Amino acid sequence: MRQNTRTRIQLSFTEIFYNCCFASANFLSVFLQSLGIGAGQIGLITALTNGMNIVSQPFWGAVSDRIRSVRRSFILCIGLSGICALGIPLLARYGSSRLPMMALLVFLYFFIMPANMLVEMWLVRVNANPRLQISYGSVRIWASIGFALMNLAYVPLLRRLPVRSVYYFYAVFALCAALAAHSVPEGAEACAHRDAPRMRFRDMQFRRILTYGVVSYLVFEILFQIPFGWSNSYTVYVLNELGLASTSFGAFTFLSGAFEVPMLLLCRRLIRRRGLAAMLVASSMLFVAQYALYAFGHGLPVLVVCQAFKGFAYAIYVTCRHQYIYEIAPRGLEGSTQAVVNAAYAGVNILSAALGGYLLQAIGVRSFFALNAGIQLLAGLFLLGSRRIAGRR
C-alpha cells in the first residue's frame, strides 16, 4: 500500500509539471498576437501544427506499442519538447527573420500533443490495474490543478515579462516532468501485454484498428474537435470583444481548470452509473452550452459561467475519452489506435484551423461561436445515434 501511495505521488507530480508545460503552450495565440500576427495567419500556423500532429501521433503511438513502454516514450517526448521550446523565445528576440522561429514553433508540436496522448494512456493503464489501486481521477485531478494554477500565475507574470517568456517556463517544467516520470517504477504502466516480446512495426496489424466502434468514434472525434480547437484558438477574441486585455486569458483559463477538479472527483461514480459513451455525449452538450453563451451572452458573469461549463465538460471528456478508446481498441494496439484517432482529427483540423481565423474575420466573433455550438451539437447527436445502431447490431 505504501508503494502504491508513493507511485500515486510520483504520477501526480508528473501530471502537475507536464500540465504546467501544457498551460504554457496554451498561450500560442496570445504569443502570436503579441508579435502583431492577425487572426487569419494564426489560423494558418495552427493548421501547420495540426499537420505536424498527423505525423507525430501515429509515430509515438506505434513507438510506445513497439517498446511496450508508454513511460519511456513520454520521457523522451517531453524532454525533446523542452529543448524545442527553449529555442522559440531566443529566435523571437534575436532572430533577424521570423521564419526559423515559426518553423521551430510548428516542430514543437511533434512532441506536445503526443506527450499529452502518452501521459493519458499511461493513467488509463494504471487505472486498469487492480493491483495498484490507483484511480484515474485521483491522479488526473493534479493535472487540472497544475494547469489552473499555472494559468493564474501567468496573469501577474505577463504584466512584467514579455509573452515569449512562457516558452522559457515550458522548458523548465518539461525537464521537471521528465525527471518525475523517470522516478516512477517501470511496472506502474500496468499494460496488459507488458511482458510480451517487442513487436516489429511490420508485424503490427494496423488494419485491425478499423472496427465499427473505432470508426464511429473517429467521426464523433472529428466533429467534436473542430469547434473545440477553434474555441481554444480564438477565445482570446471573445475577451477582446468584451473589452478585456488578451493577457487576462490566463485568469479565465484558471477558472476553467479549477472547475475541472470537482467534476474529476465525481466522474468515476458517474461513469459507473451512466457509462463512458453517455458521459461523452454529456460533455458535448456542455460544450454546446459554452459556445452558445459566447455567441449570445453579455457581460463578465457570462464569461465565468462559460468557464464552469468548459471545466465540467473537459473533465468529463478527458476522463472518458482515453478509457473509451482503450476499451474499443484491439488488444496490443491501444497506443496505435489512440494515435490514429488523434492523427485523423488533426488532419481535418488542418483545414478547419486554416479557415478558422478567416471565417471569424468574415462572420464576426458571435456568429463564429454560434457555428461552433451547432457543430458540437451534431457531434453529440452522432455519437448517441451510432451507439443506438451498435446496440441493434
Side-chain angles (χ1 to χ4, degrees), residues 66 68 193 195-199:
R66 186 183 188 278
R68 301 296 185 191
H193 301 275
D195 297 327
R198 296 184 180 186
M199 298 172 67

Side-chain angles (χ1 to χ4, degrees), residues 53-348:
N53 287 340
I54 293 177
V55 178
S56 64
Q57 301 214 50
F59 173 82
W60 287 103
V63 166
S64 70
D65 285 337
R66 186 183 188 278
I67 67 175
R68 301 296 185 191
S69 179
V70 176
R71 169 182 164 274
R72 280 181 284 163
S73 299
F74 170 77
I75 291 169
L76 181 60
C77 204
I78 193 63
L80 291 173
S81 78
I83 295 171
C84 288
L86 191 60
I88 291 168
L90 295 174
L91 288 173
R93 184 174 182 180
Y94 300 111
S96 58
S97 170
R98 286 183 181 172
L99 187 60
M101 186 273 293
M102 293 295 185
L104 187 59
L105 184 62
V106 171
F107 186 64
L108 176 63
Y109 281 78
F110 187 81
F111 306 106
I112 289 179
M113 296 311 295
N116 185 61
M117 172 190 73
L118 291 166
V119 76
E120 293 294 344
M121 287 196 311
W122 190 2
L123 290 187
V124 169
R125 292 179 177 185
V126 168
N127 183 78
N129 187 349
R131 180 180 58 83
L132 291 173
Q133 297 182 347
I134 299 174
S135 68
Y136 177 96
S138 68
V139 176
R140 185 57 178 76
I141 191 173
W142 293 103
S144 297
I145 291 171
F147 180 80
L149 291 178
M150 196 63 225
N151 275 285
L152 183 62
Y154 276 132
V155 176
L157 284 172
L158 293 183
R159 289 175 185 157
R160 296 172 175 83
L161 299 172
V163 179
R164 65 175 178 269
S165 62
V166 298
Y167 290 102
Y168 288 126
F169 286 105
Y170 183 107
V172 172
F173 288 121
L175 174 62
C176 294
L179 292 174
H182 187 265
S183 71
V184 179
E186 183 81 11
E189 288 188 37
C191 176
H193 301 275
R194 185 69 183 82
D195 297 327
R198 296 184 180 186
M199 298 172 67
R200 294 176 296 178
F201 286 116
R202 65 184 180 184
D203 294 333
M204 295 180 181
Q205 300 175 30
F206 294 110
R207 288 178 295 178
R208 291 168 49 210
I209 292 173
L210 300 179
T211 63
Y212 173 82
V214 172
V215 172
S216 60
Y217 179 78
L218 180 58
V219 175
F220 161 76
E221 187 77 23
I222 289 170
L223 292 171
F224 185 101
Q225 286 291 335
I226 291 173
F228 183 74
W230 277 348
S231 176
N232 286 340
S233 295
Y234 302 112
T235 297
V236 64
Y237 289 91
V238 178
L239 303 182
N240 298 157
E241 179 88 357
L242 296 175
L244 299 172
S246 297
T247 50
S248 64
F249 176 78
F252 290 98
T253 308
F254 161 76
L255 285 175
S256 65
F259 280 115
E260 289 176 22
V261 174
M263 185 55 71
L264 284 168
L265 294 173
L266 288 171
C267 261
R268 191 174 188 181
R269 186 180 303 173
L270 292 172
I271 289 169
R272 285 176 179 173
R273 290 183 178 180
R274 302 295 181 184
L276 291 168
M279 293 302 295
L280 283 168
V281 173
S283 171
S284 194
M285 295 304 107
L286 284 167
F287 275 121
V288 170
Q290 179 204 351
Y291 303 149
L293 283 175
Y294 278 157
F296 304 110
H298 298 276
L300 188 61
V302 167
L303 283 177
V304 174
V305 172
C306 284
Q307 302 321 302
F309 283 143
K310 180 182 179 181
F312 295 154
Y314 187 71
I316 295 170
Y317 168 72
V318 77
T319 301
C320 297
R321 175 186 192 267
H322 298 280
Q323 294 186 61
Y324 188 80
I325 294 173
Y326 187 79
E327 282 190 1
I328 63 177
R331 296 303 91 187
L333 292 175
E334 293 88 353
S336 299
T337 302
Q338 178 76 73
V340 165
V341 171
N342 290 355
Y345 77 66
V348 173

Side-chain angles (χ1 to χ4, degrees), residues 19-39:
N19 276 273
C20 286
C21 293
F22 206 71
S24 304
N26 202 42
F27 279 77
L28 172 65
S29 297
V30 180
F31 169 64
L32 295 175
Q33 216 182 35
S34 73
L35 299 178
I37 296 172

